[in-house]
Amino acid sequence: MRVPIRQIAIGIALAAVATWFATLHDFTGTQASDWPRTGLASAMVVGWAALTVTLHRRRAPVAVDTGSDTIHVVYATQTGYAAELANLTVATLRHGGDAVALQSIDTLTPATLQGAKRMLFIASTTGEGDAPDPATGFRRDVMAGALALQGLSYGLLALGDHDYEDFCAFGHDLDRWLRSSGAVPAFDLVEVDNGDPGALRHWQHHVAEWAGSPEAPDWVRPAYQSWRLVERRLLNPGSAGGPCFHIALAPVDAAHLRWDAGDVVEIGPRRGRDDEQIHPHREYSIASLPSDKTLHLVVRQQRDATGSLGLGSGWLTALADIGDAVDLRVRRNEGFHAPGDDRPMLLIGNGTGIAGLRALLKERVARGHVRNWLIFGERHAGVDRLHVDELERWRADGRVERLDLVWSRETQGPRYVQDRLRAAADDVRSYVDDGAAIYVCGSLAGMAPGVDAALRGILGERAVDDILADGRYRRDVY
């Protein structure tokens, strides 16, 4: 058993308190009323020792239900915070009716990993990039080599503090090991800096969507600002897909016009104009810059099997009237911010993913960085032109170096963006050799894994892992 330094320090402090109480009295003649303070301090020391042994002794692996429908939630904690978040994650999953198994990482066996189909990890980093104490055995014994985890889909919440050099190091190590073992991320790793509530809501959003429980209540409600709906315009009249709208919002206080390309918004929807704000929130990529004076979204109207409008999309695309108040909060998404230099950028996306890519291109255009290559896919060339006219103007003006439009319902040419990538393999390799950053925005279900597979086929597994580690391959997928 390895007891962390902070636990030893607490024990020394408690022992000192007990000793100080002892010096205050001559216990051979003290009255009974003097004993409680000394006894309390002594009991604290004994209790601390017992608790430390209980928490930090090596626990034997335990049998865990590995039924095919079970979602496993595994936490690696040093102070108990990851365990607290794991319990909240379990509550969100159970809200949607899922079977859930919760366990500490020190009880997680290779057999459980290989028998599971869905797993969520909440992993702390301690010290200068170290694994939490309960995870040291798992890191040494299980993560020493790859396992066959091809049937596992997973999500990972990495907890850390940017004041330390190796931010979220253990979470990133665990993520790399899972990928190298063949496990497939259900969504990209979520980093939390010092308990940031916005990042935690982002994790909850992913978990709820993945588990089919999108209306689970927020753990912490966003501190919304008041904005107004000032424009709503249908972008794809006559489309075979769901109606897609350009949404523009203006803040009541102009000081709130502050974000970076790549950031997202959290919207507090309502079921009707006179209804109370609903506790679940919805997230959308921002499609504009503050210099546009309004915040733009690209929102596809969603309906369920009964025809009822989706909660967030219904509020923004149908129920709210122009001029109505919209509860909104910008959430920083540093993992999708544009590079600060003029290196080439390869931007890939489909559908409403054009929103995040449009903002990035606007920022690049404003900076005069023209080595931009966009590959964008939708259904039909005639009607599904989500801001395509603007993209074509940028291409004609030389502000976008290359624009590849891919129409999945057309009869000729590559059907999907990943097909266009493969067809342009030599150009992709050349762009990456020139130091290009690759940004992907859009559908998690088919596009994102298809693009990843295409890139790995073109560049090789090692090269893709290297550009991931260098921060040159970034995704905002949903």
Side-chain angles (χ1 to χ4, degrees), residues 294-379:
T294 52
L295 187 150
H296 300 171
L297 307 175
V298 179
V299 180
R300 192 181 302 277
Q301 193 177 88
Q302 302 290 335
R303 292 184 182 270
D304 63 20
T306 69
S308 298
L309 285 167
L311 185 59
S313 69
W315 172 238
L316 291 172
T317 67
L319 301 179
D321 283 348
I322 298 299
D324 278 355
V326 174
D327 301 306
L328 181 152
R329 176 189 178 275
V330 172
R331 180 176 63 77
R332 285 186 63 77
N333 186 22
E334 292 184 21
F336 207 63
H337 287 177
D341 56 25
D342 64 351
R343 73 184 63 187
M345 276 190 75
L346 171 56
L347 302 102
I348 308 163
N350 69 338
T352 57
I354 194 60
L357 302 179
R358 180 181 185 244
L360 291 170
L361 281 172
K362 277 177 165 281
E363 184 167 286
R364 294 276 290 182
V365 166
R367 292 177 176 176
H369 299 163
V370 299
R371 291 212 65 192
N372 307 307
W373 176 7
L374 173 63
I375 304 176
F376 174 69
E378 249 291 345
R379 289 178 174 83

Side-chain angles (χ1 to χ4, degrees), residues 94-214:
R94 288 180 176 158
H95 185 274
D98 292 292
V100 188
L102 173 68
Q103 65 184 121
S104 174
I105 197 168
D106 58 339
T107 68
L108 181 61
T109 65
T112 300
L113 276 161
Q114 292 175 314
K117 291 187 176 179
R118 294 194 290 173
M119 191 167 282
L120 296 173
F121 294 87
I122 296 94
S124 293
T125 294
T126 187
E128 294 293 343
D130 296 329
D133 289 346
T136 53
F138 182 88
R139 190 179 207 176
R140 180 194 63 228
D141 301 331
V142 182
M143 292 174 61
L147 288 178
L149 301 179
Q150 282 74 15
L152 178 64
S153 175
Y154 73 94
L156 199 155
L157 181 70
L159 308 178
D161 187 334
H162 259 129
D163 287 341
Y164 293 91
E165 184 174 350
D166 288 328
F167 177 60
C168 292
F170 177 62
H172 284 285
D173 287 347
L174 180 58
D175 185 52
R176 281 190 290 270
W177 176 77
L178 289 164
R179 288 174 185 263
S180 69
S181 295
V184 178
F187 44 84
D188 286 348
L189 176 148
V190 177
E191 294 178 338
V192 179
D193 181 15
N194 203 21
D196 172 45
L200 292 176
R201 282 193 299 274
H202 186 51
W203 166 257
Q204 187 193 359
H205 172 80
H206 276 312
V207 170
E209 292 287 339
W210 190 46
S213 180

